Amino acid sequence: MTTERRRALIGVNAGIFLAHIGNFIWFPVLVASLSGTDSGFWAGVVMCMTYVGRLLATFFYEGTAARVGIRGAVFLGTALEATALGAMGFSSGVLVYGALAFFIGFGSGTAFPGLKNILVSYPEDERPKAFSTFQMSAQVGLFGGSLLGALLTDVDLRTLFSIVFAIFIGFCLAASSFIPRNGFGPQADPSAPAPEKRPLFSTAVFKGIEVRGATRYFVLSAVFWFLSIGFVVGIPLHMQEYVTQWAPSTPFWITGLSVLVLQYPLFKFLIKHLRPGAVMAVGLTGMTVAFVAFGAGRGAAWVVVGCLTVVLGEILFVPSFDIWVARRVPEDRLAKAMGAMHFFRSAGNMVGSLLAGALFDLSLSWGVPGANWYVAAVVAAGCAVICLMSRDEPAPQTDAAQPAEAAEVAEPVEAVSAK
């Protein structure tokens, strides 16, 4: 790896590390705070607006990067995210929080694809290291942010968001200072005619995706992210109501540490012995056990048990699904498949964040504590059965990629969790 690419990788990893620290400081505290002053539903609405912003940014990213470069897109997106987070501390009311959350999501949806584009532009033999260090930086940031968030639980929101603002300014400077303007891909020929100017808003990222029978699996991934965000939004509400002696961010440092310890050895072992669909089923089974634990007992011990098993979803489902897509989709359509994955992921996150808060409120009003977790457990168990019954299929033949070539595609497409 050249000095320039190593330097860029340091900047990208520092950026995603700081981003995860900042995010896992503010959102558990804000969700728990809104649950106490408003309701779980409104807490879910605020979180949902971040995903609305991220999804909308998908249609603007390509045009923005074409105008200001990948580095410029990362800088603008992070600056917008930092500004909105700083304003959170000086605002009040769920409607204002929701509007600011939209801009937080829009900034994230602009900056994050830029960081991924930098990694994708690395030579093929350097991508595994780039993606693995990116994943590790994200998980370390998640763990650190959860710990720091627990220490800041009792501070006022103005101080909390001022700290988060400073962290995101660091993200903005670290990432944009080290990465090249347009990554490390082939440089444009100065003598070539200027390319056609891309529109600022475009839905072309989703056009021409041919995955044939794979559509049901993309829908399955949306349901997984529905369950995943249901945990992210639901557990601070759960802590605020039933485990008040612990900080709302405590479950996230438990899950973060578990992922750091188990991610590579557990996934490496299972993927060698089982097909991707079966590995995904194991991950979803772990989530089922976790949701039953959260519902069955509402003490601290049950939270620990649930947190130690819910991580199996992220550890096993996410990379297995990436490998399945890389094997199923022809190489020339992998970039467009990434767009589809982002779309379905955002859709699942939006619906899941809304329903997590609403189901929590309903469980309280019905007088059935844990009913929200039982609903999630049933959905997770159904998805596990679908994954177990699935079968690997060869990639369809295209003009650009013959079957033999497509079968060799093994690099995960989306090796990192969205922040």
Side-chain angles (χ1 to χ4, degrees):
M1 186 177 292
T2 65
T3 301
E4 186 180 9
R5 288 199 290 270
R6 188 177 294 109
R7 183 172 180 267
L9 186 59
I10 291 173
V12 169
N13 288 337
I16 201 64
F17 169 74
L18 291 171
H20 275 68
I21 284 182
N23 279 320
F24 280 87
I25 288 175
W26 73 266
F27 85 77
V29 175
L30 182 64
V31 168
S33 175
L34 290 175
S35 172
T37 58
D38 295 276
S39 69
F41 170 76
W42 285 112
V45 168
V46 172
M47 291 305 300
C48 176
M49 290 305 295
T50 65
Y51 294 103
V52 173
R54 289 181 189 181
L55 186 59
L56 185 62
T58 301
F59 305 110
F60 285 91
Y61 172 73
E62 188 176 5
T64 301
R67 286 164 172 77
V68 299
I70 296 175
R71 180 175 59 201
V74 171
F75 179 87
L76 291 176
T78 310
L80 176 61
E81 192 173 2
T83 302
L85 283 165
M88 277 275 199
F90 298 86
S91 306
S92 62
V94 291
L95 295 180
V96 177
Y97 284 143
L100 291 172
F102 170 83
F103 289 107
I104 292 171
F106 192 90
S108 173
T110 304
F112 187 72
L115 297 180
K116 293 293 293 293
N117 270 12
I118 294 296
L119 300 182
V120 170
S121 71
Y122 275 58
E124 187 173 352
D125 61 331
E126 295 178 1
R127 288 179 197 166
K129 178 181 179 180
F131 276 109
S132 63
T133 57
F134 187 84
Q135 171 78 350
M136 182 64 71
S137 298
Q139 292 300 331
V140 173
L142 184 159
F143 179 62
S146 301
L147 287 177
L148 189 55
L151 297 176
L152 297 173
T153 300
D154 295 327
V155 305
D156 62 275
L157 291 181
R158 180 171 297 187
T159 302
L160 180 79
F161 279 103
S162 295
I163 294 172
V164 174
F165 170 77
I167 291 173
F168 270 83
I169 290 297
F171 169 22
C172 184
L173 297 176
S176 59
S177 297
F178 286 87
I179 64 178
R181 186 180 190 278
N182 286 306
F184 300 101
Q187 301 299 314
D189 184 356
S191 61
E196 182 180 352
K197 191 172 183 179
R198 296 171 183 171
L200 183 60
F201 178 86
S202 174
T203 60
V205 68
F206 297 118
K207 292 180 179 178
I209 298 175
E210 292 182 8
V211 289
R212 298 185 185 178
T215 302
R216 63 186 182 275
Y217 294 103
F218 282 103
V219 174
L220 180 67
S221 76
V223 178
F224 168 80
W225 291 112
F226 163 86
L227 295 169
S228 180
I229 197 65
F231 165 74
V232 169
V233 174
I235 199 64
L237 301 175
H238 185 90
M239 300 293 288
Q240 178 74 6
E241 183 70 21
Y242 301 114
V243 196
T244 55
Q245 70 271 25
W246 284 4
S249 61
T250 302
F252 298 110
W253 69 255
I254 298 175
T255 57
L257 181 61
S258 300
V259 171
L260 281 174
V261 173
L262 297 175
Q263 174 80 62
Y264 297 108
L266 184 59
F267 175 71
K268 184 178 179 180
F269 173 78
L270 289 179
I271 202 66
K272 281 184 177 180
H273 297 84
L274 301 172
R275 56 188 176 81
V279 178
M280 288 190 283
V282 174
L284 286 162
T285 300
M287 297 182 79
T288 303
V289 172
F291 296 146
V292 170
F294 293 142
R298 285 158 294 284
W302 289 97
V303 169
V304 173
V305 171
C307 288
L308 292 175
T309 54
V310 77
V311 295
L312 293 179
E314 182 173 346
I315 291 172
L316 300 178
F317 182 93
V318 177
S320 299
F321 183 75
D322 295 338
I323 289 176
W324 184 90
V325 170
R327 291 175 178 173
R328 179 68 181 83
V329 179
E331 188 173 4
D332 64 318
R333 297 194 181 276
L334 281 177
K336 292 187 180 296
M338 288 179 68
M341 291 170 71
H342 178 77
F343 175 83
F344 282 102
R345 177 173 182 162
S346 296
N349 282 330
M350 284 192 296
V351 176
S353 55
L354 274 178
L355 288 185
L359 288 173
F360 179 80
D361 286 348
L362 287 174
S363 70
L364 294 180
S365 64
W366 291 339
V368 186
N372 54 317
W373 297 117
Y374 293 137
V375 171
V378 170
V379 175
C383 290
V385 172
I386 293 173
C387 288
L388 199 59
M389 294 175 62
S390 68
R391 57 183 180 180
D392 292 337
E393 302 172 8
Q397 183 174 351
T398 68
D399 294 336
Q402 299 299 319
E405 297 171 342
E408 295 174 357
V409 180
E411 178 184 342
V413 181
E414 183 85 10
V416 200
S417 302
K419 64 175 183 175

